[in-house]
């Protein structure tokens, strides 16, 4: 949840008893058909051991502080508790939905993370699924070359074999093509970079020639999902393109994706997702709307967790 990374610099995270911050309070304002806090506590590792040089979270996932120097400097060797209502990158709704997908998986767990950054949800759900005895497969798509390197490093740090991990540098989309992606001087400094679609060949040539952009492939969701019998969790956080992606891939989603977790970036996107997925028969299991500031500016991404009855027909 990249907007939340920025918000963490501006607001205190408090527990229910001491909550007084307007943004923090809103992390409790979710609607759900299950208890996400219970899910989080059940997956929490009892007394996770610290690891020198890393921040360790409540699932036992080790995170390299240099991935987020402005946020995690000085936290090496520390262990985080259960993040209720939120920590530096996600809140109850997102943690609960991601771990809900782990609970609904049987025998194996395949997660596809679009806009994977350092592999946040690959690592967190992958570690939880492995601990639950599931055979794990991690698939990530990311436009930033340095962040792909972070994801490769993080999955290895957390004990995943190269054969379990599939990482693509590119931009997730409904169809294949070419997009432009901004360059940054140092990976980890910016986490909300947005791709440019639809540029002409001349515009792409000029952008790449300026040194400010790279050309990257648009990776079609259907091609990503094709090798997998089922995607137990599809996590989508692609900086505003979520509704277009979902609308353009409904057949693939219905056939392949059991659980869909979307980071939303506006009320309009949330409305479009609801309209598209409810009409297609999906079940909205949890939602916490985007937190907006003056002029409807985005402060923190929203969260929607959707269950596919075609693949998960029974209540759990």
């Amino acid at each position: 949840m990249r907007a939340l990374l920025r918000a963490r610099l501006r607001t205190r995270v408090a527990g229910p008893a001491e909550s007084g911050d307007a943004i923090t309070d809103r992390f409790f304002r979710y609607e759900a058909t299950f208890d996400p806090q219970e899910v989080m506590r059940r997956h929490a590792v009892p007394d996770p051991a610290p690891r020198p040089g890393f921040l360790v979270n409540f699932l036992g996932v080790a995170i390299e502080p240099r991935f987020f120097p402005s946020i995690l400097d000085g936290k090496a060797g520390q262990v985080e508790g259960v993040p209720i209502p939120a920590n530096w990158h996600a809140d109850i709704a997102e943690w609960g939905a991601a771990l809900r997908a782990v609970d609904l998986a049987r025998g194996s767990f395949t997660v596809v993370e679009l806009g994977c950054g350092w592999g946040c949800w690959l690592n967190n759900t992958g570690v939880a699924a492995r601990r639950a005895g599931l055979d794990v497969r991690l698939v990530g798509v990311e436009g930033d070359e340095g962040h792909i390197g972070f994801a490769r490093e993080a999955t290895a740090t957390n004990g995943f074999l190269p054969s379990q991990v599939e990482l693509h540098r590119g931009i997730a989309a409904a169809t294949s093509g070419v997009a432009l992606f901004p360059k940054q001087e140092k990976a980890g400094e910016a986490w909300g970079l947005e791709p440019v679609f639809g540029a002409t060949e001349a515009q792409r040539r000029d952008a790449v020639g300026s040194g400010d952009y790279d050309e990257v492939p648009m990776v079609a969701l259907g091609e990503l999902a094709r090798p997998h019998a089922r995607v137990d969790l599809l996590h989508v956080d692609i900086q505003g393109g979520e509704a277009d992606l979902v609308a353009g891939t409904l057949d693939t989603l219905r056939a392949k994706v059991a659980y869909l977790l979307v980071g939303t970036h506006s009320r309009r996107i949330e409305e479009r997702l609801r309209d598209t997925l409810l009409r297609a028969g999906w079940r909205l299991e949890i939602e916490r709307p985007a937190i907006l500031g003056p002029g409807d500016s985005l402060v923190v991404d929203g969260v929607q967790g959707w269950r596919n009855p075609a693949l998960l027909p029974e209540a759990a």
Side-chain angles (χ1 to χ4, degrees):
M1 186 179 294
R2 294 169 183 175
L4 183 53
L5 293 174
R6 297 189 291 274
R8 290 300 91 230
L9 302 179
R10 300 194 295 269
T11 183
R12 169 176 58 86
V13 175
E18 57 180 342
S19 175
D21 181 276
I23 293 177
T24 299
D25 287 348
R26 291 176 71 175
F27 293 137
F28 291 103
R29 299 179 192 176
Y30 54 84
E31 298 290 335
T33 63
F34 64 97
D35 185 347
Q37 296 185 45
E38 182 277 329
V39 171
M40 293 167 67
R41 291 189 175 100
R42 177 162 40 80
H43 278 277
V45 175
D47 301 318
R51 289 181 62 173
F54 296 93
L55 173 66
V56 174
N57 73 12
F58 75 113
L59 299 174
V61 173
I63 304 152
E64 168 62 71
R66 66 179 170 80
F67 294 170
F68 303 95
S70 63
I71 299 172
L72 300 186
D73 271 356
K75 294 187 179 296
Q78 296 183 18
V79 176
E80 291 185 323
V82 180
I84 295 175
N87 65 356
W88 50 276
H89 67 94
D91 67 330
I92 294 168
E94 191 163 18
W95 283 112
L99 295 172
R100 170 74 164 163
V102 175
D103 287 345
L104 293 170
R106 297 292 181 267
S108 64
F109 180 78
T110 297
V111 52
V112 177
E113 184 176 7
L114 308 182
C116 71
W118 65 277
C120 170
W121 298 107
L122 303 181
N123 284 283
N124 283 305
T125 60
V127 165
R130 183 176 62 199
R131 189 163 178 261
L134 303 176
D135 182 27
V136 176
R137 178 74 174 178
L138 313 178
V139 182
V141 181
E142 170 60 40
D144 187 280
E145 183 175 16
H147 295 168
I148 281 284
F150 286 173
R152 188 170 292 108
E153 180 181 343
T155 52
T157 293
N158 286 292
F160 295 104
L161 301 174
S163 60
Q164 295 177 284
V165 181
E166 177 186 328
L167 297 173
H168 302 262
R169 188 184 179 202
I171 305 300
T175 58
S176 300
V178 177
L180 294 168
F181 197 80
K183 288 185 177 182
Q184 58 176 327
E185 291 185 8
K186 184 178 180 181
E189 291 183 343
W191 290 92
L193 299 175
E194 298 183 13
V196 177
F197 299 104
T200 66
E201 184 176 345
Q203 288 170 332
R204 296 203 309 265
R205 185 171 57 250
D206 290 344
V208 172
S210 74
D212 295 330
Y213 290 85
D214 283 331
E215 275 190 335
V216 296
M218 293 162 58
V219 183
L221 179 59
E223 294 303 312
L224 279 175
R226 192 185 308 280
H228 306 286
R230 176 166 123 165
V231 174
D232 297 282
L233 173 62
L234 175 65
H235 187 285
V236 183
D237 185 351
I238 52 175
Q239 302 309 303
E242 298 82 17
D244 289 338
L245 177 74
V246 167
T249 59
L250 278 176
D251 289 344
T252 295
L253 294 174
R254 178 178 173 81
K256 291 282 189 175
V257 176
Y259 212 88
L260 172 65
L261 173 51
V262 186
T264 65
H265 295 75
S266 72
R267 292 283 186 269
R268 176 59 178 152
I269 289 172
E270 291 166 353
E271 291 168 2
R272 287 184 61 199
L273 287 169
R274 270 193 233 102
D275 183 65
T276 299
L277 289 167
L278 289 173
R279 285 175 181 272
W282 286 62
R283 182 184 181 195
L284 181 59
E285 287 206 327
I286 189 165
E287 179 175 31
R288 197 265 300 144
I291 298 174
L292 305 178
D296 285 344
S297 59
L298 181 68
V299 177
V300 180
D301 300 357
V303 176
Q304 291 183 353
W306 293 88
R307 178 179 178 145
N308 180 2
L311 298 180
L312 296 170
E314 296 181 5

